[in-house]
Amino acid sequence: MTIFAVNAERAEQRESIAWLAAEAMYREVRLTPKPGLVDGENNGAHRDMNIALFMASIRAVSPWFPRFFAQGKATADLPAPQTLLAIRPTGLACEQAMFNATGGVNTHKGGIFSLGLLCAAAGRLVKRNQMLSQRNLCEETRAMCAGLVSQELKRKGLAKTKGEHIFQRFGLSGARGEAENGFYTVRQFGLPQWQKARREGLSEQDALLRMLLALMAFNPDTNVVSRG
């Protein structure tokens, strides 16, 4: 979610948005220390991934971000949920590129989902000549994902994915719920800590660490539940 911490509101072109999305991924994995997570010093609790694998994954995923932006721009005049439908095949293809690069290891499925949505939201905003502010990006994402939890997690039947299984068992909506709520946890808990830290003169690295700890404290992380 560090795309919010690199001045996304100043980017106006597809290449800039795509660069910000990729840069967010690079900054996330390089941020050290991250308890239990892959960082520049160790692999945390992971046995199947390391920082080199993350770098390979980012290189495979990054070329897809301009496509999310372009599809958002192309569907900007349609109802917001239509953009989500339009980018789904791109998201699946991007995931496959990730799996091809990592030998089947899921390094960035959540990042592809969140950053793909933000790139598409940015495309919609640019087409309509609206400011790329944090608020607008989150509200546009919220509109694109309206009803997503009900449509995909509350449906009856056997759970097919980890996300569906965790929702049925624990009621946690995961990445879908966060997107449908316009990244509420980031806006309510993460960003205020980032902004406060920067006002206090902390370095970008330390501000990101403070933001991470806030998110870890308040986010009902389905990945933690799954691995626990």
Side-chain angles (χ1 to χ4, degrees):
M1 301 306 300
T2 53
I3 191 171
F4 291 108
V6 287
N7 295 324
E9 64 272 20
R10 298 180 183 177
E12 296 179 355
Q13 301 298 324
R14 179 176 62 185
E15 293 77 12
S16 298
I17 294 296
W19 180 86
L20 285 170
E23 181 67 9
M25 284 187 162
Y26 279 119
R27 293 192 187 192
E28 178 187 20
V29 72
R30 288 172 178 156
L31 186 64
T32 303
K34 297 197 300 291
L37 303 173
V38 174
D39 60 25
E41 293 183 353
N42 59 65
N43 301 338
H46 300 279
R47 298 180 180 178
D48 57 348
M49 57 185 76
N50 54 38
I51 195 167
L53 194 69
F54 268 78
M55 293 299 185
S57 175
I58 295 169
R59 288 193 295 271
V61 165
S62 296
W64 293 87
F65 290 134
R67 304 188 191 191
F68 289 115
F69 178 90
Q71 288 177 306
K73 193 172 181 181
T75 57
D77 295 329
L78 299 176
Q82 292 298 312
T83 294
L84 179 60
L85 293 176
I87 67 174
R88 276 188 180 277
T90 304
L92 292 173
C94 184
E95 286 181 8
Q96 189 57 54
M98 173 196 72
F99 285 128
N100 291 342
T102 63
V105 178
N106 175 14
T107 47
H108 285 112
K109 194 171 181 179
I112 292 168
F113 177 74
S114 298
L115 293 172
L117 284 170
L118 286 167
C119 286
R124 288 177 60 88
L125 292 170
V126 167
K127 179 65 180 296
R128 300 199 302 265
N129 295 315
Q130 293 179 258
M131 182 181 296
L132 290 180
S133 65
Q134 294 161 2
R135 178 184 177 85
N136 286 350
L137 284 166
C138 290
E139 289 302 318
E140 197 66 29
T141 300
R142 186 206 303 269
M144 288 163 54
C145 297
L148 188 60
V149 171
S150 294
Q151 295 165 15
E152 298 192 2
L153 295 182
K154 292 184 179 179
R155 59 190 177 189
K156 296 181 180 180
L158 186 65
K160 297 180 180 179
T161 68
K162 285 186 178 180
E164 292 174 3
H165 174 75
I166 290 173
F167 180 81
Q168 289 184 7
R169 186 174 180 185
F170 301 104
L172 302 179
S173 57
R176 293 179 180 90
E178 187 68 15
E180 186 175 347
N181 286 323
F183 300 111
Y184 173 83
T185 306
V186 178
R187 292 183 289 109
Q188 186 71 17
F189 302 109
L191 273 174
Q193 288 298 322
W194 157 267
Q195 293 161 347
K196 183 173 184 291
R198 294 298 278 168
R199 286 196 302 269
E200 293 173 354
L202 270 66
S203 68
E204 183 175 281
Q205 184 86 351
D206 288 342
L208 286 173
L209 286 171
R210 182 181 287 187
M211 181 179 181
L212 172 64
L213 290 175
L215 291 173
M216 293 175 75
F218 291 101
N219 180 39
D221 193 338
T222 54
N223 188 45
V224 173
V225 174
S226 176
R227 289 180 176 271

